Amino acid sequence: MSGPSSSDGPDEVTAPTAERVEQLVREAIAAFAQATTAADLNTARLAHTGDRSPLALANRGIGQLPPADRKDAGRLIGQARGKVNQALAARREEVEAAELETMLQAETVDVTVPVELSPVGAVHPITGLIDRISDVFVAMGWEVAEGPEAEAEWLNFDALNIAPDHPARGETDTLFVDPPEAGVVMRTHTSPVQGRTLLDRELPVYVVCPGKVYRADEFDATHVPVFHQIEGLCVDKGITLGHLKGTLDHFARATFGDVRTRIRPNYFPFTEPSAELDLECFVCHGDSVGNPDRPCRTCSSEGWIEWGGCGVVNPRVLIAAGIDPEVYSGFAFGMGIERTMMFRNNAADMRDMVEGDIRFSRSLVGGAR
Ligand code: DAH
């Protein structure tokens, strides 16, 4: 047969020979075998099984063969097309499997290859401890207040009843911001937030104020010139020393676990009466007191260690903020965060707390948080 357009009459059309058909089958199978991608295989498919492929044309020409030849030609061509289609399907499976394999290999991730991870930081233990303590108070309904580190001298001292001739105001303790006449100091404690809070907020007030404080101090194991405190202030109607003691007991237990506390008279210009809050010694639990055979270095055999200052807010502080001390009263306290960490986490050297060594942060972060 000569092609699809040979419509010149049955006489001119001859049935394809079995050899010719076999050759077409071989060519098709060879073309499929050569195709290694789905795209190549598709091209081969169109060439060998498409509408214009020799076998399709031969199939279409059957009708034009002399009737006697049609049956054999139909069987011959039909079988040939069947073989070609089978070969195509088989090759398609192979090509798809090979392509999938190539893709899987290309996308393989070797999870065992060592990678260089950037070092992960850690919450600084001081920040962690401040957050933790703040949470203790927030859980009781208190708020967290903040104030500036460069503070008005008046708020840092005068509003807290610290007279101009008080020794703490001397340049040996206080860092003044230039020029000194401007009356700005690096706050020496968090207590000026008391005045700010009383001036800014509606009464009653229940706030804790954590933050950095500055003193012209030595840099050694127990002193750093920049450290942290947390201040507490409550001003409401009918507040007594009893409320102070109960609050500080809770604060101490939430921070150190089951620990005994005591308050001992002291003097601060902004509280009256004033007291020092002591914790029972963590090391000797008082056993060293009056027991020269078992001295305790932690508490100097006193049985107690000093944690922070506290007291009933001095009426003068309330008056400085325009509050009537006949109606309102309050209590305040202030603790050093570094000191708290020393007791709580057994951190012996304050310098570790400022040097920013990640190993120190990591070693404490679980405990400090
Ligand atoms: N501001 C004091 C200091 O830095 C600590 C302090 C003592 C704060 C008594 C208080 C307080 O609120 O009532 O040493």
Side-chain angles (χ1 to χ4, degrees):
M1 127 176 200
S2 53
S5 57
S6 59
S7 52
D8 302 342
D11 291 348
E12 287 177 38
V13 178
T14 52
T17 63
E19 289 71 36
R20 171 72 185 139
V21 171
E22 253 172 46
Q23 189 197 348
L24 291 176
V25 171
R26 273 198 307 277
E27 281 172 12
I29 292 175
F32 297 157
Q34 261 186 0
T36 52
T37 66
D40 286 353
L41 190 60
N42 199 36
T43 311
R45 177 186 69 81
L46 287 172
H48 294 277
T49 68
D51 282 353
R52 304 199 57 79
S53 65
L55 276 174
L57 295 177
N59 192 46
R60 244 181 280 153
I62 291 172
Q64 288 147 32
L65 293 174
D69 294 346
R70 288 184 196 165
K71 194 173 164 204
D72 285 347
R75 188 184 310 121
L76 187 65
I77 294 169
Q79 281 174 351
R81 296 181 84 198
K83 271 190 212 163
V84 169
N85 283 333
Q86 262 178 15
L88 176 65
R91 184 63 185 150
R92 183 177 288 134
E93 263 180 39
E94 285 170 12
V95 167
E96 281 174 0
E99 274 191 338
L100 181 65
E101 182 62 21
T102 313
M103 195 176 76
L104 288 177
Q105 271 179 15
E107 291 176 4
T108 300
V109 176
D110 182 354
V111 291
T112 65
V113 171
V115 281
E116 223 171 273
L117 296 172
S118 1
V120 178
V123 174
H124 193 279
I126 295 288
T127 309
L129 187 52
I130 287 176
D131 287 352
R132 188 189 169 94
I133 293 174
S134 302
D135 281 353
V136 170
F137 284 91
V138 167
M140 295 193 288
W142 291 47
E143 291 176 298
V144 177
E146 284 182 328
E149 291 168 20
E151 182 58 283
E153 196 179 354
W154 184 80
L155 281 166
N156 194 81
F157 295 121
D158 303 74
L160 291 165
N161 194 35
I162 304 175
D165 57 355
H166 193 281
R169 292 182 74 145
E171 281 174 42
T172 40
D173 283 309
T174 307
L175 295 163
F176 285 82
V177 175
D178 248 359
E181 319 76 81
V184 178
V185 297
M186 296 311 291
R187 66 178 177 194
T188 57
H189 50 180
T190 43
S191 302
V193 187
Q194 289 193 24
R196 288 188 170 271
T197 303
L198 295 178
L199 291 169
D200 287 356
R201 297 186 184 226
E202 298 286 315
L203 294 173
V205 149
Y206 290 82
V207 292
V208 279
C209 331
K212 280 196 179 67
V213 301
Y214 298 75
R215 289 189 197 168
D217 238 339
E218 293 302 316
F219 182 60
D220 60 31
T222 51
H223 298 90
V224 282
V226 183
F227 57 102
H228 299 76
Q229 289 186 334
I230 189 154
E231 189 81 12
L233 175 69
C234 140
V235 175
D236 202 344
K237 290 179 178 157
I239 295 297
T240 69
L241 199 65
H243 296 113
L244 168 66
K245 180 70 164 72
T247 306
L248 291 182
D249 274 353
H250 175 67
F251 177 18
R253 281 196 212 102
T255 307
F256 302 105
D258 195 14
V259 64
R260 288 204 315 154
T261 63
R262 74 169 184 191
I263 50 174
R264 173 171 50 84
N266 199 347
Y267 172 75
F268 294 101
F270 38 93
T271 40
E272 184 55 40
S274 299
E276 202 71 49
L277 182 75
D278 291 344
L279 304 166
E280 187 181 63
C281 178
F282 302 109
V283 177
C284 73
H285 298 281
D287 291 349
S288 65
V289 182
N291 195 348
D293 300 339
R294 301 180 59 189
C296 178
R297 274 170 45 205
T298 304
C299 63
S300 311
S301 303
E302 300 267 330
W304 298 91
I305 45 181
E306 199 180 296
W307 186 25
C310 58
V312 172
V313 177
N314 192 320
R316 289 178 183 223
V317 174
L318 298 177
I319 291 166
I323 295 165
D324 184 352
E326 297 295 327
V327 181
Y328 284 97
S329 55
F331 66 79
F333 56 88
M335 273 74 186
I337 299 289
E338 280 79 356
R339 194 170 164 75
T340 304
M341 181 168 287
M342 287 178 119
F343 302 149
R344 183 174 190 276
N345 299 89
N346 215 358
D349 196 326
M350 271 196 193
R351 287 168 294 194
D352 290 335
M353 302 178 195
V354 290
E355 270 162 5
D357 188 322
I358 189 89
R359 290 167 300 179
F360 175 76
S361 299
R362 289 230 181 90
S363 74
L364 280 199
V365 97
R369 282 194 76 82

